[in-house]
Amino acid sequence: MTSLMGKARCPDVTQRYGGLDAAAVDSILRRVASLAAALFDAPVATVAVTGTDGAWFRTTHGSDRVAGPGFAPELWGRTLLPDHSGTAGDTSTRARTVIGRPIHSELGIRFCVAAPVVTAGGERLGTIQVLDTRPRKATDRQMSALEDLSTLLVDELELRLSVSGTVATERRMRKDAERLARTLQRTLLPPALPEVPGLGVAASYHNASAEDVGGDFYDLFPLNDGRWGFFLGDVCGKGAEAAALTSLARYTLRAAAIYDPDPCAVLANLDTVLKGEYQGDDPRYCTAVFGVLQPEGGGSFAVTLAGGGHPPALALRADGAVHPVSTKGGQLIGLLPDPHFVTATLRLAAGETLLLYTDGLTEARTETRAMLGEAGLIAHLSAIRPRGSGALLTAIDELLGRLGAGVTDDTALLALSVPSPRNEPTAQELQ
């Protein structure tokens, strides 16, 4: 079987099908030619198409000798295809016997039947033709079957065209959804974190899906008395509803902290707002950690945290040790009738960092398909001992990249670090 698909002078099937995959169309035409030959028990069958240069064979089954460019115009120029002026000579859609005498002395063809390939809209694509050197007659049943084969060819091409269009539309919609998700996600997070004197600050957000708006959030902002408030949380769900809940939670936390910066009071205020906004059988809830930074002498900071059902923060000490800051017992925000929130305090000194994260990090799967977990995260950070908030988030970014498909949920990160004195070596540098 010979195929001219992709040859330099071979035109596309028509402009209508020009966007289809060439290999896929070629495969269809080969099958049609093979079936046509089997239908008539003939040695040669071809599928020809029209083009700017007249009729050209697209696919030939059985003989390479009929695939030459000079043969098609001789056979079809006066029958089923448009003539060289572009006018269709025969507009019938029925299969017919084209010749009953030799028309090509070299090949000695004595039998040829053909069926036009016509779209439902009347667009002439070309023909299916069956050739033989034996003079004989085709039966009505064979001719009817050849017409059916022509119809099936058009149906297959149209189906491919429809699928191709659907796929293209889905790709455009996916790109639009991704752009919308990125834009909406940016509105739910602070465009930049403020500079806190004497403190290194870094944050990052990892989307598990480019098409969905995540529900993780964080922020850092000044309070009225020289202290700083910060929080990180995770709302239930994805998409537009999660985005609305994220926006409500973020702005409620900021407003509540200005009114009363006590961490437990801030979380309780958010709990009240969520219950008032989302009532009935479809409650909305979140987990969160809220903290207050109090600058102290010597460049250190006192930190007070309150947790509501959220994973514990991690304190990375100057000696390389990593300790969880437990708020175990803190309950989900917006779900329970009278939730309990738990506080914890710590001091951040020179060379120390506080890390807040959402559970997309610890629930990521490792190569063994086990969750990374809190213990795995602590072991990883203890081994690499990153210095400062920027280095810490870079290390976690690299970890998430290595986990790849094991990361199935969004991850928000917020790191606060007290820089080491420039003239004092860190514990890592002393190793």
Side-chain angles (χ1 to χ4, degrees), residues 63-67 71 104-110 131-133:
S63 174
D64 294 344
R65 300 177 66 190
V66 298
F71 184 66
H104 199 289
S105 58
E106 181 181 350
L107 297 178
I109 293 175
R110 300 296 302 274
L131 308 172
D132 201 346
T133 56

Side-chain angles (χ1 to χ4, degrees), residues 227-278:
R227 296 185 294 174
W228 294 80
F230 63 94
F231 56 80
L232 181 141
D234 184 4
V235 308
C236 64
K238 299 282 186 183
E241 292 185 353
L245 179 57
T246 297
S247 180
L248 177 63
R250 179 167 174 248
Y251 289 103
T252 298
L253 288 171
R254 287 189 65 127
I258 298 299
Y259 175 74
D260 182 357
D262 176 76
C264 281
V266 172
L267 295 185
N269 194 306
L270 176 60
D271 179 74
T272 300
V273 169
L274 293 187
K275 289 175 180 174
E277 186 72 19
Y278 299 96

Side-chain angles (χ1 to χ4, degrees), residues 166-185:
T166 300
V167 170
T169 299
E170 289 178 349
R171 287 175 178 170
R172 289 193 298 271
M173 293 176 63
R174 188 177 299 114
K175 290 181 180 179
D176 290 342
E178 290 174 0
R179 284 194 293 268
L180 177 61
R182 287 194 299 268
T183 301
L184 183 55
Q185 193 75 71

Side-chain angles (χ1 to χ4, degrees), residues 387-412:
R387 294 185 300 162
S389 54
L392 172 60
L393 294 199
T394 297
I396 296 177
D397 289 345
E398 293 174 350
L399 172 62
L400 290 170
R402 288 197 298 273
L403 294 176
V407 181
T408 58
D409 195 7
D410 298 334
T411 300

Side-chain angles (χ1 to χ4, degrees), residues 33-117:
S34 177
L35 288 171
L39 177 63
F40 286 85
D41 191 23
V44 179
T46 68
V47 180
V49 295
T50 58
T52 56
D53 296 332
W56 289 82
F57 289 124
R58 207 58 167 181
T59 297
T60 300
H61 171 87
S63 174
D64 294 344
R65 300 177 66 190
V66 298
F71 184 66
E74 178 185 352
L75 181 59
W76 301 114
R78 53 183 168 79
T79 53
L80 296 173
L81 297 182
D83 60 25
H84 295 293
S85 67
T87 303
D90 187 340
T91 59
S92 171
T93 61
R94 295 187 60 82
R96 63 190 57 205
T97 300
V98 179
I99 57 171
R101 57 182 178 78
I103 67 159
H104 199 289
S105 58
E106 181 181 350
L107 297 178
I109 293 175
R110 300 296 302 274
F111 171 82
C112 180
V113 293
V117 180

Side-chain angles (χ1 to χ4, degrees), residues 181 185 188 205 207 209 212-216 234-235 237-239 242-243 246 410:
Q185 193 75 71
L188 301 176
Y205 195 99
N207 279 100
S209 171
D212 291 327
V213 180
D216 297 2
D234 184 4
V235 308
K238 299 282 186 183
T246 297
D410 298 334

